[in-house]
Structures are given as structure tokens and as C-alpha cells.
Amino acid sequence: MLKRPEPPTSEMTRSAIAVLVFCAAMNFFSRGVSETFAVFLLPVTKDLGWSRSTFGTIYFAYMATIGFSAPLIGMLFDRFGPRPVYTIGVFLFGSGFLLASIMEYLWQAILGLGIMTGIGISATGMTVASGLVSRWFAHRITLANALAYTGIPLGMVVIIPLTQVLIEATDWRTAYGVLGWVSLAMVAVIWFLPWQTMSDGADHIPPRQANRSFSLGAGVLRHPAFWGLFATLFLASVTVWSVMLQAVAFLISAGFTPVVAAFGYGAVGAMSVVGLVCFGWASDRFGQRNSVTVGYILSAVGVALLWQLQETPNLLLLMGFVVVFGAAMGSRGPAVSALVARLYPNNVAAIYGATTIGLGLGGAVGGWLSSAFFDWTGDYGAGFALSIATSLVGITLFWVIKPLSAGRWPDPNPVSDTP
């Protein structure tokens, strides 16, 4: 008789919970401070005389760097473990903010806010967190990843409005300096955490033979499942960031105060906490295909509500956008990270990092195009239309690619995730 697997509740040990809390905390801080781009857009462009597309170029460099550095970060995690990766990441994005506080030229912004911050965020985000979480959870891997993801929207709802208040109380240079020094102060704390215990993993999860070479394996790159996951994150990122980078400026133009606009932006993050948990649970219960489909539909509806604010600005409509679009932000990431853990169990961090190139490129393309569209047309409509279009296209991937639709390989070993 086959041995009955342990119930999912057995995974919630103190160590497992501690790992989840740490991953969520790092997402809270690192992504919270990095996603302040939207509140810096107006003061920086006004003070330095830059166009929206110039500022969008900085954001393009930031998101592209996150994407292209993610595979290397994942491989470094598989090879050396989490301590050096997290420590260097925090140091880099802290230094990047300090450089931004004294920037005068575009190249300084691209280096500090684009490249240094991008690598730092990649090294402290879900690329590494997904590798850690997969060592502690198997039965409820999607929900566990969703809980780790909750740090990102919580950071948005807390840190972004506080940054807006700081900018109004001082100036944008001081605000960047504060973010930089606070980040650097965390370096020593990160280094001295009990990494041996955090890295060991749960007893019921067999040790995995991690790929310690800097390669993903040819079989991975040849299979449609990998590219489906890549495209899912790309389209989801275009959907989100073609709207969110311009959201604060759009709300101000619609008649809301800067602080209300910043709180609205952050509230989207707060609502996405609910979305992350609900969609994480729904993915485990009803399948990733169904939860991702609903998420993309909600994204399109949310953008339509935001667009309507241009004609009828009111708090009720703004709340509708926050609830619908915010909830949808939590629908794709946990599903993708869980599928990576299930389809490629021997090399989770590196392969999730490779798919994250799509996330970075999508944010880069969406953010830059929405900025350029505004410069070309003087209106936000083209960027919003782009968001709706990519959300509808994204639905198809989980219906036409069988491993994504089923949540497993159709046969035991169709593709190798080792060289």
C-alpha cells in the first residue's frame, strides 16, 4: 500500500514560517523603495527638464536590468546560496539611490536607478525567494509563493505614500538619499542572519541536485512551456507597468492631490495582497490556468475603470480601479513560480530567473512606451489601450500550452533542466 502523503499543514513549521516572513520582508522593502518611480516622475522631470520618455528610458534600463540579471542571480543562488546574493543586492540598490540623490545627467540616472538598482532588486526579490520557498513547501507551493509575494504590494502601500510625503516635506534629492542610507544600513543585518538553518529546507522534501554550472540546459530552452512562462510574465508586466508608471501623474492630471494620487497608487499594492493570497489559494484548488485567466480579465476591467476617471473623476471610481486592478496584480506571479518549481524541480532559482527576463522586458517596454505615447499624443489613452490589449493576449497562453494548462508534464521526463 502506498504511503499517504503528509497533509499540507505539516509544512507550516517555525522554520518554514520564518523563511516566508523573511522573503516577504525583503520584497516589502526592496520592491517598496524601488517602485517609487511613479512618485519621482513629476518632480525629477520638472527639476531637470527631462521629458516623460527620457524618464521612461531610466525605467526601461531598470526593468531590463532586472530581467537580464535574473538568470545570473538565480545561478549564483544555486551555486553559492542566499547570503552573498541578498547582501550584495541590498548594497547595490542602496548605493544606486545615493547616486540618484546627486544626479545631474541621464547617464548617472541610468547607472544608479537603472543598472545598480535593477541588479539589487533582482538579487533580493522572487528569483531568490522562489528558490528558498521551494526548499520548505511542496503541497501548497503556490500559496507559499503568494505569501512571499505579499511583501511587494505591502511595500507599495506603505513606502510609496511615505516617500511622496517626504518629497513634499523636503525635495526629491533628499528623499533618494534617505532611501539609500536606510538600505545600506540593512547590509550588516542581512549578512548575520542564520542562513544555514534557513537554507537547509524541510525534512519531507528530498534534497535536489541543483545545477551548479552557469547553464540552463538546452532542453529547457527548446520547450514551449518555458517560453510560455516567459511570455506570461512579459505580457503581465506590460499590462501592469504601462499603467502604473503613469498612474500618479494621471491621477494628478484628473484632479486628485499628489498625496491622494500616491495613496491610490499604494492602495493598488494593498489590494494586490488580497489578490496574491486568493489567487494563490485558487491556483492550488482550481488550477493555474483558470486563476490566470480570471486575473487577466480583471486587469482589463481595472484599466477601463481608471481610463474613465479622465471623464468622471471621483473617489468611488478610483476605488473600483484599486480593487479590481490591484487584485489582478496577484494572479500571475505565484502561478508562474509554482509551475517552475513543479516542472523544473532541480534548478528552480535559475529557471525562474530566466523567465523573469520576460518580467523585466515587459516592464521596460510597457513603461517606456506609455511614456513615449504621452510625449507623442499628450494623453494617457494609448498606454491604457496597450495594457488592455496585452491582458487579453496573455489569456491564450495557459490554454494552448499543455504543461501550463495541466500544471504538469504530460509524460514523466519530457525535458531536462540540467545540462
Side-chain angles (χ1 to χ4, degrees), residues 176-375:
Y176 269 133
V178 169
L179 294 176
W181 286 116
V182 171
S183 301
L184 290 181
M186 295 177 59
V187 170
V189 176
I190 298 296
W191 182 259
F192 288 108
L193 288 173
W195 286 110
Q196 184 62 51
T197 300
M198 294 171 66
S199 303
D200 283 345
D203 293 337
H204 70 279
I205 298 179
R208 291 164 179 171
Q209 299 297 316
N211 174 16
R212 295 185 175 273
S213 68
F214 293 98
S215 171
L216 295 178
V220 172
L221 299 179
R222 286 197 299 263
H223 201 275
F226 171 82
W227 293 109
L229 295 170
F230 180 98
T232 297
L233 291 183
F234 175 85
L235 293 169
S237 194
V238 174
T239 296
V240 170
W241 295 111
S242 58
V243 170
M244 292 299 285
L245 182 60
Q246 308 296 329
V248 172
F250 170 77
L251 292 174
I252 293 173
S253 72
F256 297 96
T257 67
V259 173
V260 170
F263 270 102
Y265 183 100
V268 173
M271 190 59 212
S272 65
V273 175
V274 178
L276 283 164
V277 175
C278 291
F279 277 104
W281 172 83
S283 291
D284 284 327
R285 186 172 180 83
F286 303 110
Q288 282 84 9
R289 181 185 66 182
N290 295 328
S291 66
V292 168
T293 299
V294 172
Y296 271 122
I297 293 172
L298 289 179
S299 290
V301 173
V303 176
L305 292 173
L306 179 66
W307 203 343
Q308 186 60 33
L309 280 170
Q310 200 167 29
E311 300 297 329
T312 55
N314 61 75
L315 287 175
L316 184 61
L317 202 57
L318 176 58
M319 290 173 59
F321 160 71
V322 166
V323 171
V324 175
F325 194 80
M329 284 179 66
S331 63
R332 276 86 57 162
V336 170
S337 57
L339 279 171
V340 169
R342 288 172 176 169
L343 298 178
Y344 308 101
N346 293 329
N347 208 9
V348 176
I351 292 176
Y352 183 80
T355 64
T356 305
I357 293 178
L359 184 73
L361 285 179
V365 170
W368 185 85
L369 279 178
S370 65
S371 299
F373 286 156
F374 181 87
D375 284 343

Side-chain angles (χ1 to χ4, degrees), residues 70-281:
L72 176 61
I73 294 299
M75 293 172 192
L76 288 172
F77 170 83
D78 287 333
R79 188 176 181 88
F80 300 111
R83 172 183 278 164
V85 176
Y86 273 113
T87 304
I88 293 172
V90 173
F91 176 81
L92 278 175
F93 71 69
S95 301
F97 288 135
L98 289 181
L99 178 56
S101 71
I102 61 171
M103 66 184 178
E104 297 287 347
Y105 304 102
L106 181 60
W107 71 265
Q108 294 171 317
I110 291 175
L111 176 61
L113 294 176
I115 297 172
M116 294 172 67
T117 301
I119 295 174
I121 298 308
S122 180
T124 54
M126 281 305 299
T127 297
V128 179
S130 65
L132 273 177
V133 168
S134 70
R135 297 180 181 183
W136 292 94
F137 294 90
H139 302 295
R140 290 292 181 264
I141 182 66
T142 310
L143 181 58
N145 275 295
L147 292 173
Y149 261 100
T150 58
I152 296 175
L154 285 174
M156 291 173 62
V157 74
V158 174
I159 294 176
I160 291 171
L162 288 178
T163 302
Q164 178 65 50
V165 172
L166 181 59
I167 292 171
E168 293 193 354
T170 57
D171 56 62
W172 65 268
R173 292 186 184 276
T174 301
Y176 269 133
V178 169
L179 294 176
W181 286 116
V182 171
S183 301
L184 290 181
M186 295 177 59
V187 170
V189 176
I190 298 296
W191 182 259
F192 288 108
L193 288 173
W195 286 110
Q196 184 62 51
T197 300
M198 294 171 66
S199 303
D200 283 345
D203 293 337
H204 70 279
I205 298 179
R208 291 164 179 171
Q209 299 297 316
N211 174 16
R212 295 185 175 273
S213 68
F214 293 98
S215 171
L216 295 178
V220 172
L221 299 179
R222 286 197 299 263
H223 201 275
F226 171 82
W227 293 109
L229 295 170
F230 180 98
T232 297
L233 291 183
F234 175 85
L235 293 169
S237 194
V238 174
T239 296
V240 170
W241 295 111
S242 58
V243 170
M244 292 299 285
L245 182 60
Q246 308 296 329
V248 172
F250 170 77
L251 292 174
I252 293 173
S253 72
F256 297 96
T257 67
V259 173
V260 170
F263 270 102
Y265 183 100
V268 173
M271 190 59 212
S272 65
V273 175
V274 178
L276 283 164
V277 175
C278 291
F279 277 104
W281 172 83

Side-chain angles (χ1 to χ4, degrees), residues 37 299 417:
F37 268 95
S299 290
D417 59 342

